[in-house]
Amino acid sequence: MLFVLHHAYSQYEDFKFGDINQDEINLKVYARDTSAKAIVLKEFGNSWFDNETGNLISKKHVRIKILDKEGDKYANFEIPLWKRDNLYKENITVEQASTFNYENGKLVETVLDRKNIFSENKHNYLDLCKFALPNVKENSIVEVIYSIESPYFFNYRQWDFQSTIPKLESIFKASIPANYVYNIALKGELPITIKNSYIEKECFGIGGGDSYRRFGKSDCSVNLWGMRDIPAFYEEDYMTAPSNFISSIRFELSEMIYFNGSKIKITKSWKDVEKELKGGKYFGKQFNRGKEVFGKNLDFIVKAETDALNKAKIIYDHIKHHYKWNGYYGKYSDNIKKAYENKTGDVGDINLSLIAALRLYGFDAVPVICSTRENGLPIEIFPVLSNFNYVFCKVTINEIDYMLDATDPYLTFGMLPIRCINEKGRVITNKESYWLNIPQKNEIKQDIALVLKLETNGQLTGEMKISSYDYEAISIRKKMVSFNSDDEYIEDVDSRVQRMRIKDYKIENKNDFTKPLVEYYNVIFENFDTLNMDRIYFNPFIFNKWNENPFKSKERLFPVDFGAPINTSFTLSLEIPSDYEIVDIPSSKSLALPNQGGNFSYDYQINGNHISLRTSFKTNYYLYSSDEYHYIKELFNQVIQLQKSDIVLIKKST
């Protein structure tokens, strides 16, 4: 029987701290999710504007049941507080925080010592308030009330209904004065089950006293949203930022109305944003500084080249190898000249420099602002510049568009890093901006070929060739340079494949990124002790084998996102001793995803004492909808089942 939360929420107001009922005490396992380590019993949030300061106050009250020892981490709190300087920052007050344990027939409360509340300076714009509830163990109930005072009313604090543990009930109340007009958006797949709204008369006026008499007070729109029996959000393989999918309420200020009647439009049209960006000191004015910054440095390396595409590649390679990326994202640059002189910069410095350099030599190069995969998808219905944390270049040459990013020396011309393959970006042109479906023309591609002979001593000897392309080649090249030498890298390869010894090797195109990376190995596999056995079971998938299906959920409410299409092949040519014969091999098979989404095939051929095997796995797209999830899951099931299959050999009778 499901656990039922008893409450008296006639008006859906906050619940009483420490008023814990017997059902909450007795709860040991949550029937809807028996794997849950902890569960939110009750949660109430309330946000309003302070009449004295005008600041936004956000209060949260939460009660959590710890269901087992692994759930004690949910008694540790880490609350982000944004800041600009010591005066313009968010401040937190932890009002109450306790742990409750049921001991000897009574509820025992352990109160958090305020000395154990710490503040950590995360970076220039963020502090973290951190504390851990005391005396937490299996079946403890922890309860916390805290409030945050924020001057950042432009972004009304969002409310997440869903988290990494299930919730029995989550309710959020927002009181918004008529002075502020917000765009309100519900994200995620879960439906609102509790909803109410009403007008509270004369609820807001800054300053009090004479200020009220002069300007009056405005009414407030009070909105209440809630959900019950909220499932935990489990992050899965091949998904982008969880913030894209967690059920939540989000706010974006669109307009401010002062008490004197004047208005300020906050949420602008794209036309307003375009004008702001193109004329901006840290954006448009930067990529128009090409002659000032690069003229002397680039003239001598491009003046002899007459082919437009080759000239663009020379400019791209110069910028890419001149800079060292400092690891920070961004769409602006304080000063591309200074960054160029220092030979280092963030994404904005480097890619705005690239645009400036291309424009200097007459190319149609424009910026594309986007949001990285971990940052979440940008809002499309109205422009919110804070959603965009990245910029790259689009250049058109001979009527062909190329997407360029110069932050990674391993990228080739026309190749974007996977981090900014996140559906759409906004192209800022000299005329009107527009949305661009960010193309993914490159693959995660690798071909493995093995030619082996089964020796009478039980060893498999032969050659292995691994050809890697695009993102797979980048990944391996970066791994290679992380070692002190090629020999150390080979030792690592050797250690990762069970029973394999590498006798000799050769690596081609390690430093030529325009060509596939090719690795040649002479190998020995210690597969069997001896061939005196009458029956031998041999699994041919001895390299890059899937051990389990990454798609485990019965259902999936969000897309499958590989970042790039996958294209792999594996071939094996195996010679077996003449005194053995093959009695069992898997049947050849071919499977295809709907809508030409991809395919998987494998084919066995026997010719005398030779076995040949070829498998191919290909996804034609990098993004698949949740409706296609079951097909993707089944495709991986088939791959894994095949890779578990053995070739069976028996010794011929004499």
Side-chain angles (χ1 to χ4, degrees), residues 81-140:
L81 301 170
W82 298 99
K83 62 181 180 179
R84 184 178 299 171
D85 51 47
N86 288 331
L87 297 176
Y88 203 66
K89 63 180 183 178
E90 294 181 330
N91 292 296
I92 189 170
T93 301
V94 179
E95 300 177 16
Q96 290 181 276
S98 296
T99 302
F100 297 90
N101 289 298
Y102 194 67
E103 300 173 354
N104 300 320
K106 63 179 182 178
L107 204 60
V108 178
E109 179 181 5
T110 307
V111 179
L112 172 69
D113 188 337
R114 297 191 177 274
K115 293 179 181 178
N116 294 324
I117 301 175
F118 304 97
S119 179
E120 176 187 331
N121 179 20
K122 190 70 174 177
H123 55 68
N124 289 340
Y125 303 104
L126 179 66
D127 287 336
L128 295 176
C129 175
K130 304 172 81 169
F131 57 90
L133 275 295
N135 196 26
V136 174
K137 48 194 171 184
E138 190 171 313
N139 292 318
S140 293

Side-chain angles (χ1 to χ4, degrees), residues 129-164:
C129 175
K130 304 172 81 169
F131 57 90
L133 275 295
N135 196 26
V136 174
K137 48 194 171 184
E138 190 171 313
N139 292 318
S140 293
I141 293 174
V142 297
E143 190 165 354
V144 172
I145 300 175
Y146 64 84
S147 60
I148 297 171
E149 182 174 2
S150 174
Y152 304 110
F153 55 84
F154 286 88
N155 289 317
Y156 203 94
R157 205 171 191 90
Q158 76 176 52
W159 182 262
D160 292 336
F161 292 103
Q162 205 171 15
S163 74
T164 54

Side-chain angles (χ1 to χ4, degrees), residues 86 122 133 140 214 234 288 299 338 355 606:
N86 288 331
K122 190 70 174 177
L133 275 295
S140 293
R214 287 183 63 193
Y234 292 107
N288 289 324
D299 280 349
K338 183 178 179 181
I355 294 167
I606 301 173

Side-chain angles (χ1 to χ4, degrees), residues 5 13 50 99 104 116 128 184 187 192 236 249 277 305 333 353 361 375 379 386 462 470 504 518 525 529 553 568 652:
L5 179 65
E13 293 297 329
D50 182 73
T99 302
N104 300 320
N116 294 324
L128 295 176
I184 302 174
K187 296 200 73 172
I192 295 290
E236 297 188 30
I249 290 279
L277 286 174
E305 182 58 62
S333 174
S353 293
Y361 292 93
N375 192 55
I379 296 172
S386 59
D470 293 354
D504 195 12
V518 185
F525 292 91
D529 293 333
S553 300
T568 62
K652 294 178 181 178

Side-chain angles (χ1 to χ4, degrees), residues 270 274 364 366-369 380 388 394-396 401 403 424-437:
W270 273 111
E274 292 159 15
D364 179 15
V366 294
V368 183
I369 57 173
E380 291 188 45
F388 300 88
K394 182 177 85 71
V395 62
T396 304
D401 290 337
M403 308 300 153
K424 291 186 177 182
R426 190 79 180 187
V427 184
I428 309 299
T429 72
N430 292 328
K431 297 179 180 179
E432 291 187 0
S433 68
Y434 60 91
W435 286 105
L436 170 75
N437 289 320

Side-chain angles (χ1 to χ4, degrees), residues 555-578:
E555 303 291 337
R556 183 162 170 143
L557 300 177
F558 39 85
V560 175
D561 191 326
F562 293 110
I566 299 172
N567 185 357
T568 62
S569 70
F570 172 75
T571 59
L572 170 69
S573 176
L574 175 64
E575 180 184 349
I576 64 174
S578 58

